[in-house]
Amino acid sequence: MQLEFFGAAGEVTGSCHIVRAAGRRLLLDCGMIQGGADAPARNRRAFPFEPPSIDAVVLSHAHIDHCGRLPLLVKRGFRGPIYTNAACADLLPILLRDTAELAMRGAERGNRDLAPGEEPVMPLFDTADVEAVLRQVKPIPFDQPRELFAGITVRVRDAGHILGSSSVELWLTEGELTRKLVFSGDLGQYDTPILHDPFAFESADLVLMESTYGDRRHRSRDDTERELGGILAQAARDGGNVIIPAFAIGRSQEILYLFARHYAEWHLARWKIFLDSPMAIAASRVYWKHPDRFDEEATRLRAGFKGMPPLPNLVLSETADDSRAINNIRGGAIIVAGSGMANGGRVLHHLKHNLSRPECHVIIVGFQAPGTLGRQLVDRLPEVRIHGQRVRVAAQVHTLGGLSAHGDQAQLLRWYDSFKRRPPVYIVHGEVAPGEALAVKLRELGANATVTRPGLQVDLSSLPALAADRPTA
Ligand SMILES: [Zn+2]
């Protein structure tokens, strides 16, 4: 009975952990490594296991750093079931098909000017691999134990991070010995709009816990929302447009939901609000389909409007023509568009048309990686390049820090604090410094905390049995 760390050990991305128990091999997540010049090469490397030897995958949620290498796993011979909840299963095709298409277009571009004898670039995977993944997905319900194999039972709980994000409980039994593992997945903030709070676990023999913001304190959500309202009021006085680069899944829905919640207070009826991203529109439709994942307030708002995001003046821009039509609007438009870091996508056109106009506002609502246009705007460069053209930045750029989809240090500790008997913690999904900072705080709570590294193995059978609960599937 063993756990081995492979991805997201000592870093944020590439989530993948290997469980060996009851004669089976299981993966928790199979995510893509993102950021860093060597990421493409690392993603292509052989897995430290034979993909056909894996019996099943349990997927925590539909972010690319958790699910992005599933098509590669299947391409290399994995044929088993991929278990996840139904909302995650519905978001998965949107995300993986887009990723495959980007990879294929990238390879095509790279192969255009090949020198004689030069090896053609192959995409990491293609859409056929993605369709194969989707055929292997087996949705499982939230909150109900499910026996995957003799001796292996799983139950998924809400993690409050994006729609369909889960923490995973896993009971492993060999003979008389049972051990319970809890994998946090990515944990949301406790008062995230739309979603339930992260589930409060009481028992485990071992905890795998994310640490993305293990050393940080977020600005309070109330302050952040007040700031957003203030920016929109100023933007209305200035008379230009507002551009919000936003990730298609999660952040786009959250922003529009905040607009709905503060619709009267922020006088939003005077704006025309555009969601200009086919992927975000598709993701919003998945949100509409899963009201069971909504918290009380979102359930109330949805009931009054019969849709999510619930906004009367929302325009969904599906086609490229719809998107281009927005370019003629000089003022009174709030445009939510991807990509979230403005390193591609439709938002580039809107920035090109509005950045040089001082009456316009850009609101940055998510993490911006170094080297992206979004980061250049955060860093207040006076001039940027878009589609090869120089664009002067005269618009007012605002960075809103408090909308993170991840809990901060205090919230991570609150999540762990619900475990009564202080099970040992293995810290994953964070850079080393935040991981170490979180470990110090967890030890103060009485936990034996270890920051993981790739290849680290834990013998689960040698752990003391703390969790008395057993699944009753
Ligand atoms: Zn995530």
Side-chain angles (χ1 to χ4, degrees):
M1 205 183 275
Q2 190 197 49
L3 171 68
E4 182 180 336
F5 299 95
F6 166 44
E11 62 185 322
V12 170
T13 64
S15 179
C16 188
H17 315 295
I18 309 156
V19 176
R20 300 182 185 92
R24 303 284 182 173
R25 292 191 177 97
L26 225 67
L27 293 187
L28 295 171
D29 290 346
C30 191
M32 197 179 284
I33 298 159
Q34 296 176 293
D38 60 345
R42 291 178 63 203
N43 281 319
R44 274 175 201 275
R45 261 181 222 159
F47 293 107
F49 48 79
E50 293 297 325
S53 75
I54 300 296
D55 293 290
V57 176
V58 179
L59 173 64
S60 66
H61 66 289
H63 268 154
I64 207 73
D65 61 322
H66 293 257
C67 67
R69 269 192 289 181
L70 285 173
L72 193 64
L73 189 72
V74 167
K75 184 179 173 176
R76 292 178 178 170
F78 167 65
R79 295 289 173 267
I82 299 164
Y83 295 103
T84 193
N85 68 82
C88 173
D90 283 347
L91 288 172
L92 214 50
I94 300 172
L95 196 79
L96 290 181
R97 284 178 185 145
D98 183 75
T99 307
E101 278 160 20
L102 280 176
M104 290 162 76
R105 277 205 296 276
E108 208 179 287
R109 264 197 312 274
N111 289 336
R112 250 178 234 153
D113 307 303
L114 279 186
E118 201 180 337
E119 284 286 312
V121 184
M122 298 298 286
L124 190 61
F125 51 79
D126 59 23
T127 45
D129 301 315
V130 169
E131 298 311 313
V133 166
L134 299 178
R135 285 192 294 273
Q136 286 170 234
V137 171
K138 302 271 179 285
I140 50 174
F142 271 99
D143 305 321
Q144 292 172 31
R146 172 70 65 94
E147 187 178 67
L148 305 184
F149 303 101
I152 301 182
T153 296
V154 70
R155 178 163 63 187
V156 294
R157 302 290 206 174
D158 216 310
H161 166 67
I162 60 167
L163 184 85
S165 62
S166 53
S167 300
V168 177
E169 286 172 289
L170 209 54
W171 287 269
L172 309 167
T173 302
E174 290 177 355
E176 296 295 297
L177 191 81
T178 295
R179 289 294 177 268
K180 179 184 171 187
L181 188 155
V182 170
F183 170 42
S184 69
D186 284 5
L187 295 168
Q189 299 203 57
Y190 277 82
D191 46 3
T192 294
I194 309 175
L195 305 175
H196 295 294
D197 285 346
F199 182 82
F201 293 93
E202 291 191 359
S203 75
D205 297 313
L206 181 134
V207 174
L208 255 73
M209 186 175 176
E210 73 120 318
S211 59
T212 314
Y213 291 124
D215 59 349
R216 260 207 256 168
R217 197 80 214 229
H218 293 323
R219 193 159 180 215
S220 89
R221 209 160 254 278
D222 285 349
D223 288 351
T224 305
E225 290 181 21
R226 255 195 302 280
E227 190 183 353
L228 180 56
I231 296 167
L232 293 174
Q234 183 58 48
R237 286 193 290 275
D238 292 343
N241 293 324
V242 175
I243 317 290
I244 307 180
F247 300 105
I249 297 177
R251 196 54 46 88
S252 292
Q253 291 77 28
E254 195 179 320
I255 290 289
L256 296 175
Y257 177 81
L258 286 180
F259 288 173
R261 196 158 81 181
H262 299 284
Y263 191 76
E265 184 194 342
W266 294 352
H267 306 288
L268 290 175
R270 59 191 169 188
W271 295 93
K272 205 162 186 180
I273 301 170
F274 294 90
L275 180 57
D276 186 21
S277 157
M279 207 171 143
I281 294 168
S284 298
R285 296 206 167 106
V286 174
Y287 270 70
W288 299 344
K289 267 181 64 187
H290 293 280
D292 57 312
R293 304 324 309 158
F294 291 10
D295 63 14
E296 272 175 43
E297 188 192 54
T299 305
R300 262 200 317 277
L301 263 177
R302 184 185 190 276
F305 194 74
K306 300 215 181 314
M308 180 64 66
L311 277 170
N313 54 344
L314 177 67
V315 181
L316 301 176
S317 307
E318 301 254 19
T319 68
D321 282 343
D322 292 342
S323 179
R324 267 192 291 275
I326 305 171
N327 292 336
N328 301 321
I329 303 174
R330 302 292 289 171
I334 297 176
I335 307 159
V336 179
S339 70
M341 298 191 208
N343 49 344
R346 291 181 175 181
V347 77
L348 290 182
H349 296 275
H350 304 307
L351 290 171
K352 198 159 73 181
H353 281 86
N354 291 284
L355 267 184
S356 61
R357 302 168 55 217
E359 67 273 28
C360 292
H361 292 251
V362 179
I363 310 179
I364 302 288
V365 293
F367 176 74
Q368 307 294 315
T372 59
L373 176 59
R375 182 60 164 262
Q376 291 170 0
L377 294 175
V378 169
D379 292 343
R380 307 199 172 272
L381 262 62
E383 190 181 270
V384 294
R385 286 190 91 85
I386 302 177
H387 296 140
Q389 280 178 34
R390 284 154 55 151
V391 182
R392 191 172 60 92
V393 183
Q396 300 166 60
V397 179
H398 314 268
T399 306
L400 273 188
L403 294 177
S404 173
H406 289 269
D408 65 6
Q409 186 186 68
Q411 292 176 322
L412 291 171
L413 292 171
R414 173 176 165 184
W415 181 81
Y416 178 79
D417 202 26
S418 67
F419 287 99
K420 293 211 167 84
R421 297 181 66 189
R422 303 301 192 228
V425 185
Y426 284 83
I427 293 173
V428 295
H429 203 283
E431 303 292 333
V432 174
E436 295 287 1
L438 184 66
V440 168
K441 292 287 178 186
L442 284 168
R443 286 174 202 134
E444 287 171 13
L445 282 181
N448 186 349
T450 308
V451 179
T452 55
R453 54 181 196 281
L456 176 69
Q457 297 181 352
V458 183
D459 175 12
L460 298 172
S461 46
S462 70
L463 294 171
L466 301 175
D469 63 322
R470 292 286 176 268
T472 42

